[in-house]
Amino acid sequence: MYTPAHFALTDSEGLHDLIRSHPLGTLVTQTEGHLDANHIPFLLDAEPGEPGTLTAHVARANPVWQQCRDGAQVLVIFRGAEGYISPGWYPSKQETHRLVPTWNYEAVHVHGHLTVHDDEKFVRGVVGRLTRLHESTQTTPWKMSDSPREFIDSMLEAIVGLQIRITRLEGKAKLSQNREARDLQGAATALRARGGTALAQAMDAAK
């Protein structure tokens, strides 16, 4: 990933936070000379300063788990806040008119080695953890035990577990840090007025 120094994210905790707050990753694999991409919600297990591991599951009908040998190198892409930035939002435009549109965004690239777990205990644990995490904001959280056991068992038989041992993290936050403070603020204010609160908050934090 092309990352100028002023856009680089190097703090492991910040990278982990971005993954956890945007857990739908794009798993990129290569098999027999062909690239493939699958969009999968991941769980991250990592301590500060450590690369950690990603865990997920895919449908048994998805060939990705059979196409990739254990230990295969893979890439997972996580995207955070993003949006179009108009040069008209920069106060300095009226003075120089030497500005062009751009796109601001946050991204983390996770490099690692894939292991397939085709066993019931592993996939049950993955589904249980994903459920507890994402149901925690519900008034009445759904639990696996809410459904008949035979139904859950049949669902678990239809999925396969994946685990990625992370070897390297790359992070990029292109948030107008290369602009004057007044231009960054002007763009963030314009984004808020248009509903782009998440990107505006990320830009404020980058100041």
Side-chain angles (χ1 to χ4, degrees), residues 31-51:
T31 309
E32 298 178 354
H34 299 286
L35 290 174
D36 191 19
N38 285 272
H39 308 280
I40 306 169
F42 283 91
L43 291 164
L44 171 67
D45 291 299
E47 296 296 328
E50 308 244 343

